[in-house]
């Protein structure tokens, strides 16, 4: 079943196109990796699919009953102010606000928030202030918030930036589990490992065009071979 | 002295209205200050002054003119600050233009107009009907703020994430601008257009100096607003000082105290 599709889309900002003629579709249960050089439009693509940026041409369609409030999102750069007074728990709980009803967060929602933080190794920081965390700890809290928001689909824009190697491999493991449990993943990454090991579909952007296809097709194509070589996997 | 105040119905009324408006303004202020929108409160109060002047000139009911004009300006200003980051200059342009229009209107309207009350408020002359409007506006503000507390938090903290995950951030920003405009209009009667924005900016700024969670900032801001209002109100009665200015002076003292507390804490704990 298709969840998201778009055909002949032009991505860009304020009439300035970045990429045109883009057609793609994301199926239920897919694991899509979005790769490509800096400035090629990966983040713009994600923001367009999320409805944060209007496509210059074409329309992104949500199908199969996918609703906005079933989507989790980890931005590449968040606009959060460094001095914003907020506890870690307040941040993570705000993730489930999209499906929340009523005034108080339920015991179940609080338990889930705590679980996400424990999974990401932040159990001793649950009642800390968000301002006082390190860069990698910020990233983990925002990941926990994204997981809280996720019901069907999770968008991750370079989730491992700032994470240490151990947390990175734990995150990939966690994503594998989530995908196994039926969550659809769309992840922007410069790391070849998840693309090579876990992804089902690859969307590759470059300044001259794009490639969209299964992982097998991709790694047999020119851009895929190029990526392998650059990542030192060309043996 | 306290029993003396409570024996005058108009003083009791003034005090209740002032408390209501102070708490509403302080809660809105938390979100406005954190979104770097605090200058909007200042700009809107000047627009309110301009509208008051025009209503005096045309001998219209003040609220009939000020409410729609200030609400419309609030939407325009918030829209500009969201879209472009050049919100600063558009606020400054709007507020000085509105001030100019107000001053011209007042001078044409002649000596019957109490310029002083427009600029510095006249809490003791608040009429019964103004009192009802102020109470209703404050009640709506408090209720909406509490009811949408989490949504307002999410929109303030990270509106991009909130929007991406299906929260209608436009609606909550619009709500915030509407409530801000209304609180400024009713608050202008008390503190005047020159001082009303302090009710919005001081409590949140003071609370942020020492508190580290959104909830505790909100609670402390509301509490500070209540205490500063009561102290300022009594001080003005006791020493025959202008009410609005006394309240702002108390806020200022609390602000200085909060800086001292924070610095002392850093020095002691080495946080
Ligand atoms: N808000 C914006 N307004 C105008 N142009 C933008 C904006 N954000 C990005 N761009 C431009 O759009 C192009 C694509 O940017 P995008 O952020 O999508 O790249 P990316 O593939 O995510 O790169 P990276 O790997 O560095 O994250 C870039 O040339 C950038 O300059
Ligand atoms: Mg990017």
């Amino acid at each position: 079943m298709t969840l998201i599709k778009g055909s002949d889309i032009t991505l860009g900002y304020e009439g300035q196109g970045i990429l045109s003629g883009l057609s793609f579709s994301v199926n239920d249960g897919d694991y899509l990796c979005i790769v490509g050089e800096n400035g090629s439009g990966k983040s713009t693509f994600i923001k367009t699919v999320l409805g944060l940026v209007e496509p210059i041409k074409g329309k992104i369609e949500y199908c199969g009953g996918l609703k906005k409030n079933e989507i989790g999102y980890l931005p590449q750069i968040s606009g959060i102010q460094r001095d914003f007074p907020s506890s870690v728990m307040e941040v993570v709980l705000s993730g489930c606000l999209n499906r929340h009803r009523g005034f108080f967060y339920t015991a179940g929602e609080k338990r889930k928030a705590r679980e996400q933080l424990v999974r990401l190794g932040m159990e001793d920081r649950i009642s800390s202030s968000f301002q006082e965390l390190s860069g990698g700890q910020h990233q983990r809290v925002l990941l926990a918030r994204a997981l809280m928001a996720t019901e069907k689909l999770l968008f991750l824009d370079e989730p491992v930036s700032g994470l240490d190697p151990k947390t990175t491999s734990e995150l990939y493991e966690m994503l594998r589990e989530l995908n196994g449990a039926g969550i659809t993943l769309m992840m922007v990454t410069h790391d070849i490992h998840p693309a090579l090991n876990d992804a089902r579909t690859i969307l590759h952007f470059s300044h001259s065009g794009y490639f969209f296809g299964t992982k097998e097709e991709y790694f047999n194509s020119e851009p895929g071979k190029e990526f392998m070589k650059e990542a030192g996997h060309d043996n | 002295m306290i029993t003396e105040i409570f024996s005058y119905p108009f003083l009791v009324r003034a005090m209740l209205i002032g408390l209501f408006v102070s708490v509403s303004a302080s809660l809105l202020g938390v979100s406005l200050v954190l979104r770097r929108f605090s200058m909007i409160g200042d700009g809107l109060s000047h627009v309110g002054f301009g509208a008051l002047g025009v209503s005096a000139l045309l001998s219209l009911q003040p609220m009939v003119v000020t409410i729609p004009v200030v609400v419309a300006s609030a939407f325009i200003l918030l829209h500009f600050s969201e879209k472009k980051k050049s919100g600063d200059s558009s606020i400054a342009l709007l507020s000085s233009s509105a001030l100019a229009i107000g001053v011209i209107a007042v001078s044409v309207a002649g000596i019957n107009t109490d310029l002083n009350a427009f600029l510095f408020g006249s809490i003791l002359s608040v009429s019964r009907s103004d009192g009802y409007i102020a109470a209703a506006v404050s009640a709506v503000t408090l209720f909406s703020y509490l009811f949408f507390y989490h949504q307002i938090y999410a929109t303030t903290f990270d509106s991009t994430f909130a929007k991406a995950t299906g929260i209608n951030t436009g609606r909550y920003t619009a709500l915030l601008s509407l409530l801000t405009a209304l609180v400024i209009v009713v608050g202008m009667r008390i503190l005047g257009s020159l001082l009303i924005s302090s009710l919005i900016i001081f409590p949140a700024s003071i609370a942020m100096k020492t508190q580290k969670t959104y909830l505790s900032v909100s609670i402390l801001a509301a509490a500070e607003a209540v205490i500063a209002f009561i102290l300022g109100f009594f001080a003005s009665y006791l020493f025959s000082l202008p009410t609005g200015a006394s309240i702002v002076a108390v806020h200022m003292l609390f602000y200085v105290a909060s800086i001292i507390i924070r610095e002392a804490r850093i020095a002691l704990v080495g946080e």
Side-chain angles (χ1 to χ4, degrees):
Chain A
M1 187 176 59
T2 307
L3 284 186
I4 300 178
K5 67 175 181 221
S7 61
D8 198 16
I9 307 277
T10 302
L11 301 176
Y13 295 91
E14 282 142 27
Q16 274 271 304
I18 298 171
L19 186 89
S20 55
L22 172 67
S23 299
F24 71 98
S25 67
V26 181
N27 291 332
D28 199 7
D30 210 342
Y31 192 139
L32 174 73
C33 273
I34 301 157
V35 297
E37 57 209 270
N38 290 140
S40 56
K42 303 180 297 298
S43 298
T44 307
F45 170 72
I46 293 245
K47 287 185 220 160
T48 308
V49 175
L50 281 167
L52 298 171
V53 171
E54 284 293 311
I56 292 179
K57 183 172 157 234
K59 198 166 162 273
I60 310 272
E61 273 180 80
Y62 286 11
C63 351
L66 177 68
K67 291 197 284 294
K68 269 275 179 80
N69 66 359
E70 297 171 321
I71 294 175
Y73 173 45
L74 178 79
Q76 179 177 16
I77 302 167
S78 72
I80 300 165
Q81 283 147 23
R82 275 231 58 118
D83 59 347
F84 197 103
S86 186
S87 72
V88 165
M89 200 59 178
E90 282 175 325
V91 175
V92 178
L93 276 171
S94 75
C96 66
L97 198 59
N98 52 0
R99 289 182 307 279
H100 176 80
R101 294 279 165 273
F103 182 71
F104 292 103
Y105 286 116
T106 64
E109 287 168 329
K110 286 183 187 152
R111 189 173 351 99
K112 196 175 158 202
R114 196 162 282 124
E115 275 167 22
Q116 307 295 1
L117 285 166
V118 170
R119 261 168 121 179
L120 288 159
M122 293 289 288
E123 59 269 34
D124 49 350
R125 287 298 197 154
I126 286 175
S127 47
S128 294
S129 149
F130 187 71
Q131 318 172 356
E132 293 165 348
L133 302 179
S134 75
Q137 288 169 333
H138 269 168
Q139 185 77 347
R140 296 195 210 181
V141 172
L142 297 186
L143 258 170
R145 178 182 68 167
L147 292 169
M148 287 297 282
T150 307
E151 175 86 3
K152 278 195 183 161
L153 205 146
L154 177 57
F155 286 90
L156 299 162
D157 198 344
E158 303 196 20
V160 302
S161 70
L163 297 185
D164 55 44
K166 181 164 169 285
T167 315
T168 300
S169 49
E170 279 167 7
L171 175 68
Y172 288 151
E173 177 60 39
M174 207 156 97
L175 294 180
R176 223 170 285 147
E177 268 173 42
L178 281 174
N179 188 236
I183 303 286
T184 308
L185 297 176
M186 290 173 80
M187 172 163 74
V188 175
T189 179
H190 290 297
D191 181 356
I192 195 164
H193 296 102
L196 206 51
N197 301 328
D198 302 322
R200 227 166 280 196
T201 325
I202 307 278
L203 182 55
H204 176 115
F205 285 116
S206 73
H207 290 296
S208 53
Y210 76 100
F211 175 95
F212 176 69
T214 63
K215 178 173 73 184
E216 290 71 25
E217 286 165 354
Y218 175 67
F219 284 110
N220 284 318
S221 74
E222 270 316 304
K225 284 180 182 154
E226 186 77 7
F227 186 21
M228 287 266 250
K229 203 186 286 169
E230 283 159 5
H233 277 259
D234 57 339
N235 34 0
Chain B
M1 173 195 111
I2 294 179
T3 44
E4 199 179 307
I5 285 184
F6 286 116
S7 65
Y8 295 108
F10 74 96
L11 281 180
V12 175
R13 184 163 68 221
M15 196 162 155
L16 283 178
I17 295 167
L19 278 174
F20 266 136
V21 172
S22 299
V23 173
S24 316
S26 67
L27 290 177
L28 293 174
V30 174
S31 187
L32 291 173
V33 168
L34 284 170
R35 292 176 82 174
R36 307 281 189 261
F37 286 170
S38 32
M39 281 314 292
I40 287 179
D42 207 50
L44 289 182
S45 59
H46 293 156
V47 171
F49 171 78
L52 274 181
V54 171
S55 72
L57 180 62
L58 305 176
S59 350
L60 292 167
Q61 178 70 32
M63 291 283 185
V64 176
V65 181
T66 41
I67 289 181
V69 171
V70 176
V71 168
S73 313
F75 278 94
I76 293 170
L77 284 182
L78 271 179
H79 181 77
F80 269 112
S81 328
E82 292 264 274
K83 285 272 159 206
K84 308 233 183 317
K85 294 297 162 205
S86 67
D88 255 21
S89 53
S90 47
I91 294 171
L93 290 176
L94 190 67
S95 42
S96 43
S97 311
L99 264 184
I101 292 172
V103 170
I104 291 173
V106 166
S107 81
V108 173
I111 43 152
N112 300 333
T113 321
D114 189 356
L115 185 64
N116 215 38
F118 283 5
L119 289 175
F120 303 108
S122 54
I123 188 168
L124 301 183
S125 68
V126 171
S127 69
R128 193 176 284 262
S129 68
D130 278 355
Y132 287 134
I133 296 178
V137 164
S138 309
V140 169
T141 307
L142 287 175
F143 181 77
S144 325
Y145 191 86
L146 292 178
F147 196 76
F148 296 115
Y149 171 82
H150 295 300
Q151 284 81 355
I152 292 174
Y153 163 80
T155 308
T156 309
F157 180 67
D158 187 353
S159 65
T160 311
F161 174 85
K163 192 172 173 211
T165 57
I167 291 170
N168 190 341
T169 53
R171 189 202 289 165
Y172 298 108
T173 301
L175 178 71
L176 203 64
S177 15
L178 177 69
L179 297 177
T180 305
L182 290 176
V183 164
I184 282 176
V185 171
V186 298
M188 263 170 29
R189 299 284 294 146
I190 304 170
L191 283 195
S193 46
L194 287 187
L195 298 176
I196 175 66
S197 56
S198 61
L199 282 194
I200 292 180
I201 302 172
F202 267 121
S205 310
I206 290 167
M208 279 167 61
K209 289 268 179 286
T210 55
Q211 300 304 304
K212 298 231 163 98
T213 74
Y214 191 79
L215 182 66
S216 60
V217 167
S218 305
I219 293 172
L220 184 63
E224 191 273 341
V226 168
I227 296 169
F229 178 83
I230 294 175
L231 289 181
F233 193 82
F234 282 144
S236 88
Y237 184 79
L238 206 59
F239 307 114
S240 316
L241 298 170
T243 317
S246 311
I247 296 167
V248 176
V250 175
H251 279 295
M252 195 191 70
L253 291 179
F254 279 146
Y255 187 77
V256 173
S258 70
I259 293 177
I260 294 174
I261 291 173
R262 191 182 66 169
E263 294 304 317
R265 222 194 243 173
I266 292 171
L268 285 177
V269 190
E271 276 189 88

